[in-house]
Amino acid sequence: MSEVRVELREVSYGEVKALEDINLTLGPGLYVVVGRSGSGKSTLGKVISGVIPHIEKARVVGRVAVSGLDVLNSNIYKVNKTVAYLAQSPYDQVLAGTVIDELTLVADNVGRSARDVEKVAEAVGLRPLLKRKVEELSGGQLQRVAIAKILLVGASVVVFDEPLAHLDLRSARSLLGDLLALKEGGKTVILIEHRFRDLAPILPKVDKIILLDRGRVVDVFKGGEALGRADVLRKHGIRVEWRAPPRSPSYNGAVRVSVSGVWFSYGRHQVLRGVDLELREGVVYALIGPNGSGKSTLLKIITGVLKPERGSVKVEGVVGYLPQNPDVVLFYQTVREEVAARAQWWAGGGAADVADEFINALNLGELRGRNPHSLSRGQRFRAAFAAVLALRPDVLLLDETTVGQDLENLEAICALLREYVGRGKTALVATHDLRFVAGCCDYAYVLSDGRIAARGPAGEVAQSAEAVYGRQD
């Protein structure tokens, strides 16, 4: 039977306690783990799957058994046959070559057939991408590749760490259906997730919701009881709802970015097809659309990382860019050094004080002395966001920065963005988080199949999810 038993007195990284006094017994079924950013959710998933202590080092006091197997003291290769783990970052879970290469490698290692590969690829929407190179895929497409690999393993216990993070609404709904199918097949499915509102369609079928805060279990209840526990969830930073104050943006500021007739392709795959858009100062813009629609590519073209095949891009001022993978812009030993180094060129001797302002505004004060790469993914995104802001760019481009954020930290990010554009700057946020779009952004562009399919006030566009992703119901 696929049962998970967790008896942990403590899990710690050096002197930092991540988990404390955790006692859980999870039989076959679907379990959702929620909590603030940095509450210990990912650490719990890694301990259950054996990633800690076999791959990532941490001090573990206690016992973890999965289907009778002693996870902490067994060979990791033996553990991997019993429990599969989908990590937070899709960039850490692919090697090279094409999508079909990735899936075939896993299938060969676990004794699955080519037909099994075809079925899984069809189930997660990868069939059109099988011959594409993995380095050409968007974050959401990479996430689907990682999910397909997990499904191919066929382990009796599966841990998904924020699988919805980079997925558009349609893909997210499809994955939730896959999770229910795994449950109905007798698996133990553990889902760690921040996009709690997107779980609404499956909550009645969730066996238990496990609420963590500061490394401890503070509540456990059935999925069908979630609505009645809204106050408890909200108290612990869960995004039950978010109502932002009304705004009256002005679109009369100077044009900072002008994109005209831009085309771009990766080899034979056409990504952008005659894109036109305009970004003015004093406005927070959103860029939304399905996975693979070209959002990240467009941001890279605006920054100058990629050059358009046709068309033109004009930018007034300095551009600050935060890509989907925050790890590629984090270089220093501590969060404070990371942010202060960016402020040094204009703040001089006051760089440390400037760094502290951004760090505190993004709720990173207790983590200022930590190595950025030791933080949770949501915390790493905020550290990287603080570093980019410290550059004082005129144009800010953010790619999926809301990933891994609880309610409190989303509000902090939004507050900094509003303050930033209030000084005559410009921000463009590529995201799948339609509630963040409605709550924080002023104007939205919808990118679909490489073209601007719609544009307008952010609240109106976000509410018209049918035009972006198809029906939600």
Side-chain angles (χ1 to χ4, degrees), residues 63-385:
R63 178 175 178 270
V64 177
V66 174
S67 300
L69 180 69
D70 181 351
V71 171
L72 303 181
N73 296 301
S74 297
N75 184 287
I76 186 61
Y77 298 105
K78 189 174 183 180
V79 174
N80 285 344
K81 293 179 180 179
T82 305
V83 54
Y85 174 67
L86 177 74
Q88 279 184 329
S89 173
Y91 300 94
D92 299 337
Q93 298 168 83
V94 294
L95 299 174
T98 64
V99 172
I100 189 64
D101 292 336
E102 287 279 336
L103 302 186
T104 301
L105 178 62
V106 173
D108 289 346
N109 285 335
V110 297
R112 303 294 292 273
S113 68
R115 179 58 184 152
D116 291 330
V117 171
E118 291 177 6
K119 287 181 179 179
V120 169
E122 183 69 34
V124 299
L126 284 177
R127 183 177 289 278
L129 305 177
L130 288 176
K131 295 183 180 180
R132 292 275 303 279
K133 294 180 179 179
V134 293
E135 60 266 26
E136 296 175 357
L137 302 183
S138 71
Q141 291 169 330
L142 284 175
Q143 188 78 308
R144 279 189 268 162
V145 173
I147 290 166
K149 291 163 70 174
I150 290 294
L151 296 177
L152 276 170
V153 170
S156 60
V157 176
V158 189
V159 181
F160 292 88
D161 196 350
E162 294 202 49
L164 307 186
H166 293 282
L167 297 182
D168 61 43
L169 187 57
R170 229 180 237 162
S171 299
R173 292 289 171 89
S174 175
L175 174 61
L176 295 180
D178 292 336
L179 299 188
L180 289 177
L182 288 174
K183 170 191 170 174
E184 291 162 4
K187 310 282 189 183
T188 299
V189 183
I190 301 170
L191 171 62
I192 300 167
E193 192 53 65
H194 272 293
R195 285 171 58 175
F196 190 75
R197 284 288 298 272
D198 290 337
L199 303 182
I202 68 165
L203 284 178
K205 297 183 179 181
V206 170
D207 293 272
K208 290 181 182 178
I209 294 175
I210 301 164
L211 176 60
L212 292 182
D213 204 348
R214 295 184 177 273
R216 292 175 179 267
V217 175
V218 296
D219 206 350
V220 179
F221 51 90
K222 294 180 179 179
E225 300 172 359
L227 186 60
R229 302 292 185 101
D231 289 343
V232 174
L233 291 166
R234 195 179 296 109
K235 176 184 175 182
H236 293 281
I238 309 306
R239 298 172 55 191
V240 178
E241 59 184 11
W242 183 24
R243 293 189 178 95
R247 300 181 304 278
S248 299
S250 170
Y251 303 113
N252 298 319
V255 176
R256 289 283 189 181
V257 176
S258 177
V259 175
S260 179
V262 164
W263 290 70
F264 185 84
S265 63
Y266 294 105
R268 295 181 179 180
H269 179 67
Q270 195 70 51
V271 179
L272 299 178
R273 307 165 186 269
V275 171
D276 298 290
L277 62 76
E278 187 177 81
L279 308 180
R280 293 179 177 270
E281 64 182 28
V283 181
V284 178
Y285 293 89
L287 182 63
I288 58 182
N291 292 133
S293 58
K295 299 184 299 296
S296 296
T297 298
L298 180 56
L299 264 59
K300 290 176 183 177
I301 286 176
I302 294 173
T303 63
V305 173
L306 297 175
K307 301 297 182 184
E309 296 168 350
R310 282 187 278 165
S312 63
V313 177
K314 296 179 181 178
V315 179
E316 296 291 335
V318 176
V319 175
Y321 170 55
L322 177 54
Q324 278 188 358
N325 184 1
D327 298 342
V328 301
V329 297
L330 296 172
F331 308 113
Y332 291 84
Q333 292 300 308
T334 70
V335 172
R336 196 181 195 213
E337 289 177 53
E338 196 74 59
V339 183
R342 305 323 203 280
Q344 184 71 43
W345 71 274
W346 62 267
D353 292 335
V354 172
D356 285 341
E357 288 182 22
F358 286 122
I359 286 169
N360 291 332
L362 288 165
N363 302 315
L364 294 168
E366 295 181 1
L367 307 174
R368 73 183 74 235
R370 292 268 300 275
N371 186 304
H373 294 282
S374 73
L375 306 180
S376 74
R377 193 152 192 252
Q379 291 167 338
R380 297 201 304 277
F381 261 116
R382 298 202 309 278
F385 180 40

Side-chain angles (χ1 to χ4, degrees), residues 45-60:
K46 290 175 181 178
V47 172
I48 290 173
S49 62
V51 173
I52 292 175
H54 298 294
I55 298 174
E56 293 185 15
K57 299 305 176 184
R59 180 172 179 264
V60 181

